[in-house]
Amino acid sequence: MNLNLFVWRQKGPNEPGKLEEIKAIDVSPDMSFLEMLDEVNERLVHQGKDPIAFDHDCREGICGTCSQVINGVPHGPQEKTTTCQLHMRKFKDGDSIYIEPWRAKAFPLVKDLIVDRSALDRIIQAGGYTSAHTGGAPDGNAILIPKPCADRAMDAAECIGCGACVAACPNGSAMLFTAAKVSQLAYLPQGKPEAARRACVMTDAMVQEGFGNCSNHYECEAACPKGIKVSFIAKLNREVLKARCESI
Amino acid sequence: MPTMTNECTAVTTSAKWITKKRTMAETGVKPKPVAQTAAALIQVTTFANPVTKKMMMGGTGLALIAFLFIHLLGNLSLFAGSGGLNTYAQFLHTMPVVVWVFRFVIALMFILHVWYAIQVTIENRTARPVDYACRSYQKSTLISRSMIWTGLIVAGFLIYHLLHFTLQSLYPDTSAAVLRDSLGRPDVYRMVVLGFQNTLSSLFYLTGLLALAFHLSHGIHSALQTFGLATQRTLPIKIRAAFIIAGMLFFAYTSIPISIFVGAVK
Ligand code: HEM
Ligand code: FES
């Protein structure tokens, strides 16, 4: 099939950018979205043009590096799927596809579709850890953890930190990301003692990085390729409330 | 070993303020309590934790909703005829202190709500300086994205409403200050009925209440989520409940101008 791509092209952080129309010819429905872009890039290189710069790494939906807003939805139209796992059979011959980078003040653009997401790392650095040494790996079942808690912690830990929640949020808020990182620790005995304080410092770090506040639009949950639920945001909020009640 | 160094902003701000006060006392400079308190308040609220800000909005919002229910109960006494509403109005006038404390608390809630609303909205808008050329929303609604606009309409309506029925300066000829009922009491009932026989006035009310209903259909479940009172299972129920409560408030409140406008209440 043949497609009309409208791709955001921008040479550098301070250069002007614009949507450029690029044809994708002879696209196989079995290709992944990134493979389609690879072929487009090969042709661009043959024509002596600059290839489209985009982020990718594992291409199996676990690293969270691929970051494209496809037709107005981060990671494209298919639910719970990263861009690299999206297949071209989701599109029809002759379709127009808009491809844009994650848009947020906290994600400065590097080139074309690549943005700098280190602000997310700095949110983790602010408090996404336990400050007590836990030693080597403990024996299995040495620390008893109720099954529902373990399940919730694992669900939160599914976050791959791709930033789709930020890209989807009308406020450019990283609340779902922060909530997942707070919750994965808060549900477990090792993370519990510092949970309330951690929630405060990580949300403080979030706004300091220039992310917006949460307005409970729940757009993030719909965009998350790992299906992280907004109930983790409620959990984060409870931890902040706890901190306020205990006045930390 | 890493330690958490990021102190809670509110705590550091108030600590700074205390230090400043102390140095002022030592150097003999007279502090200006009002200006200083105001400056500290602005600083504390502006740099507060984002979740704390949302809880202030949610808390003040829920308090305002509680007031809406009390206000509604009072208003519905209109359907008990002129005796009902005028008796209720006179009852309120017998306890001015309670009424004034009530007004003060509501005004404070309202001011705090609007203060945080404007702050939060500006922060949210600046968090995405370059917008998408193509945008498709999955879960958010036009209502949830228009909270600031429905809120501002409610604020505008409120000014009109206060001028109309509280200060009664909008239509002085038909104000309760001049009208008297058969018992010689200020005729609030007649003021309301005459007020809503006016098409423009009734339309204003419908618009204001519709904006309020939109605002609350998102606001109620948003506030619950903000306070962490929602789980994966209960959130969809709360979203529906918010819609129903907002709708009920809308129909209960608009029943008054509508029944007067169609002549069911005269
Ligand atoms: C009777 C009057 C009002 C009531 C009962 C009310 C109620 C609420 C409630 C319950 C929320 C949810 C808070 C949360 O998510 O935690 C809310 C949010 C909001 N209100 Fe109001 N409100 C009123 C008036 C106003 C006014 C006058 C404004 C205008 C400046 C306003 C602006 C907002 C905004 C912008 C939000 C959304 C904040 C966000 O999540 O981004 N509200 N309101
Ligand atoms: S490239 Fe790793 S998740 Fe898509």
Side-chain angles (χ1 to χ4, degrees):
Chain A
M1 56 182 163
N2 298 323
L3 301 161
N4 268 343
L5 308 181
F6 293 88
V7 187
W8 186 263
R9 303 304 301 269
Q10 187 170 338
K11 286 209 159 63
N14 301 316
E15 308 282 329
K18 65 169 177 16
L19 281 176
E20 188 178 300
E21 185 172 357
I22 300 172
K23 301 252 183 262
I25 299 158
D26 267 344
V27 175
S28 150
D30 297 331
M31 282 177 177
S32 76
F33 202 82
L34 298 187
E35 282 167 342
M36 181 274 292
L37 286 180
D38 288 339
E39 293 233 325
V40 168
N41 272 349
E42 238 171 83
R43 268 216 340 281
L44 287 175
V45 171
H46 277 304
Q47 292 165 358
K49 291 184 188 154
D50 209 12
I52 304 163
F54 61 89
D55 254 338
H56 62 103
D57 189 21
C58 71
R59 298 213 174 189
E60 53 186 15
I62 54 170
C63 74
T65 312
C66 51
S67 49
Q68 297 176 19
V69 175
I70 301 165
N71 285 342
V73 184
H75 293 302
Q78 191 175 345
E79 250 183 43
K80 294 194 197 171
T81 309
T82 53
T83 302
C84 58
Q85 294 282 290
L86 178 66
H87 283 86
M88 296 315 291
R89 53 178 160 273
K90 283 274 151 191
F91 300 91
K92 292 191 308 290
D93 185 41
D95 271 0
S96 292
I97 305 178
Y98 286 82
I99 312 174
E100 293 176 79
W102 280 183
R103 294 279 190 209
K105 182 170 136 207
F107 290 162
L109 196 136
V110 178
K111 190 180 180 189
D112 293 347
L113 301 173
I114 300 179
V115 296
D116 177 358
R117 281 170 285 180
S118 44
L120 296 182
D121 299 336
R122 288 190 292 274
I123 294 179
I124 302 219
Q125 279 164 9
Y129 49 80
T130 59
S131 54
H133 284 293
T134 51
D139 288 341
N141 294 337
I143 303 171
L144 296 179
I145 299 170
K147 180 80 165 82
C149 294
D151 283 350
R152 283 196 199 117
M154 288 304 283
D155 286 348
E158 270 202 76
C159 170
I160 54 177
C162 65
C165 45
V166 178
C169 177
N171 305 341
S173 175
M175 201 68 165
L176 192 64
F177 168 83
T178 310
K181 299 304 172 195
V182 163
S183 301
Q184 67 184 12
L185 295 171
Y187 279 115
L188 299 177
Q190 297 92 332
K192 223 169 223 160
E194 290 169 303
R197 190 183 163 75
R198 179 182 301 117
C200 292
V201 292
M202 287 179 77
T203 44
D204 277 341
M206 182 184 88
V207 284
Q208 272 157 25
E209 290 293 340
F211 294 103
N213 305 277
C214 177
S215 287
N216 302 321
H217 292 296
Y218 310 139
E219 208 52 64
C220 51
E221 182 181 278
C224 178
K226 295 294 144 185
I228 307 284
K229 296 287 173 207
V230 290
S231 50
F232 290 122
I233 298 182
K235 169 73 176 166
L236 165 69
N237 293 343
R238 286 196 293 277
E239 292 300 338
V240 175
L241 189 59
K242 209 189 289 169
R244 290 296 164 265
C245 295
E246 292 166 357
S247 170
I248 349 176
Chain B
M1 192 189 111
T3 46
M4 295 189 188
T5 48
N6 241 3
E7 272 306 325
C8 163
T9 6
V11 173
T12 35
T13 316
S14 51
K16 263 188 227 148
W17 185 54
I18 290 165
T19 327
K20 199 168 159 200
K21 251 190 124 167
R22 202 178 296 137
T23 29
M24 278 180 137
E26 281 159 8
T27 51
V29 178
K30 283 238 171 9
K32 297 189 207 90
V34 178
Q36 227 174 31
T37 312
L41 268 178
I42 289 175
Q43 209 176 10
V44 167
T45 55
T46 309
F47 298 107
N49 176 279
V51 181
T52 312
K53 278 186 190 171
K54 281 307 302 285
M55 284 179 185
M56 291 298 288
M57 290 200 62
T60 52
L62 290 179
L64 289 171
I65 293 172
F67 165 72
L68 285 177
F69 275 100
I70 299 170
H71 190 44
L72 177 68
L73 284 182
N75 289 0
L76 290 179
S77 67
L78 176 115
F79 289 111
S82 72
L85 192 59
N86 290 353
T87 309
Y88 171 64
Q90 205 178 30
F91 165 68
L92 287 185
H93 280 282
T94 58
M95 37 183 202
V97 177
V98 174
V99 170
W100 273 106
V101 169
F102 216 83
R103 282 176 179 166
F104 177 77
V105 172
I106 299 161
L108 188 67
M109 294 294 138
F110 200 83
I111 290 166
L112 281 175
H113 188 82
V114 174
W115 168 250
Y116 281 107
I118 292 172
Q119 237 184 55
V120 160
T121 306
I122 292 174
E123 284 171 5
N124 294 348
R125 297 282 156 98
T126 46
R128 175 161 297 128
V130 184
D131 211 345
Y132 295 103
C134 170
R135 183 73 155 108
S136 153
Y137 292 108
Q138 311 288 296
K139 256 198 179 161
S140 67
T141 58
L142 190 58
I143 291 176
S144 76
R145 294 191 304 271
S146 315
M147 289 299 274
I148 188 69
W149 304 119
T150 49
L152 287 174
I153 294 173
V154 170
F157 163 76
L158 185 80
I159 293 170
Y160 174 80
H161 183 56
L162 290 176
L163 289 177
H164 191 176
F165 287 146
T166 307
L167 295 172
Q168 304 177 7
S169 55
L170 224 46
Y171 309 103
D173 302 345
T174 56
S175 79
V178 293
L179 300 174
R180 287 288 173 275
D181 68 1
S182 53
L183 296 175
R185 301 177 297 189
D187 200 349
V188 177
Y189 178 83
R190 189 96 336 249
M191 168 175 75
V192 173
V193 170
L194 291 174
F196 285 135
Q197 280 170 356
N198 179 328
T199 318
L200 202 64
S201 182
S202 285
L203 276 179
F204 253 27
Y205 273 80
L206 285 184
T207 315
L209 289 168
L210 195 64
L212 181 67
F214 285 155
H215 198 80
L216 296 187
S217 70
H218 177 74
I220 292 174
H221 71 79
S222 176
L224 293 178
Q225 164 84 356
T226 297
F227 282 105
L229 297 169
T231 64
Q232 203 174 319
R233 186 179 61 80
T234 60
L235 185 60
I237 304 170
K238 282 163 187 168
I239 291 177
R240 234 167 302 148
F243 188 80
I244 293 169
I245 294 172
M248 272 169 35
L249 275 173
F250 176 74
F251 286 113
Y253 266 104
T254 50
S255 70
I256 294 169
I258 288 177
S259 51
I260 290 171
F261 192 70
V262 300
V265 172
K266 291 199 225 14

